[in-house]
Amino acid sequence: MQILFNFAAKFELKSNVTKMNPTHIEHIGIAVKSLDESIPFFETLLGTKCYAIEEVADQKVRTAFLKIGQTKIELLEPTSPESTIAAFIEKNNGKGGMHHIAFAVEGLENQLAEAKEAGIRLIDEKPRGGAEGLNIAFLHPKSTFGVLTELCEKK
Ligand code: ZN
């Protein structure tokens, strides 16, 4: 029984990996129903002001940024019911929550090619434009222990 369990666990957890050497955590993405409601909360909680609000039409979201050290908190509000953020909020009983972690990397395009080569499932095969003027790409959570992972690179 134990042997079977161990075998199953190994099979389930078998994970393909590649070395990405991120320089830092670029931001943490939090899905929210309303920026108007959540910005004052996070400003007070973190003792810092929201410094940018930006709509990313491509992803059907409005984003707001606060900064702690070199790491940002990215609040994401859906601008359409078809937004993946709207679907995420619905899945979470109508509440938002931790949505993704973003690492700053160098050589994003090569990193994606290497990740694919290693068998990691990619959401974005090629970098695309994200908020804050960054090139971004997402790795599929099925390949990253359930954590939606974003890679970012300065243009
Ligand atoms: Zn993000």
Side-chain angles (χ1 to χ4, degrees), residues 27 74 100 102 138 150:
H27 63 269
E74 176 186 46
H100 65 272
F138 282 93
E150 180 180 352

Coordinates of all heavy atoms in Angstrom, one line a residue, residues 27 74 100 102 138 150, ligand 1:
H27 N 6.3 41.3 -8.9 CA 5.0 41.7 -8.2 C 4.2 40.4 -7.8 O 4.5 39.3 -8.3 CB 4.2 42.6 -9.1 CG 3.7 42.0 -10.4 ND1 4.4 42.1 -11.6 CD2 2.5 41.3 -10.7 CE1 3.7 41.5 -12.5 NE2 2.6 41.0 -12.0
E74 N 0.1 44.1 -7.4 CA -0.7 44.4 -8.6 C -2.2 44.0 -8.3 O -2.5 42.8 -8.1 CB -0.2 43.7 -9.8 CG -1.0 43.9 -11.1 CD -0.6 43.0 -12.2 OE1 -0.3 41.8 -12.0 OE2 -0.5 43.5 -13.3
H100 N -1.6 35.5 -8.9 CA -0.3 35.0 -9.5 C 0.9 35.7 -8.8 O 0.8 36.7 -8.2 CB -0.3 35.3 -11.0 CG -0.3 36.7 -11.4 ND1 -1.5 37.4 -11.6 CD2 0.7 37.6 -11.7 CE1 -1.2 38.7 -12.0 NE2 0.1 38.8 -12.0
A102 N 4.8 37.0 -9.9 CA 5.6 37.4 -11.1 C 7.1 37.6 -10.7 O 7.4 38.3 -9.8 CB 5.1 38.7 -11.7
F138 N 3.1 34.0 -19.2 CA 2.6 33.2 -18.1 C 2.9 31.7 -18.3 O 2.9 31.2 -19.5 CB 1.1 33.3 -17.9 CG 0.7 34.6 -17.2 CD1 0.3 35.7 -17.9 CD2 0.6 34.6 -15.8 CE1 -0.1 36.9 -17.3 CE2 0.2 35.8 -15.2 CZ -0.2 36.9 -15.9
E150 N 4.0 34.3 -13.6 CA 4.3 35.2 -14.6 C 5.8 35.5 -14.7 O 6.4 35.6 -13.6 CB 3.5 36.5 -14.3 CG 3.7 37.6 -15.4 CD 2.9 38.9 -15.0 OE1 2.0 38.8 -14.1 OE2 3.1 39.9 -15.7
Ligands
ZN1 ZN 1.0 40.3 -13.1

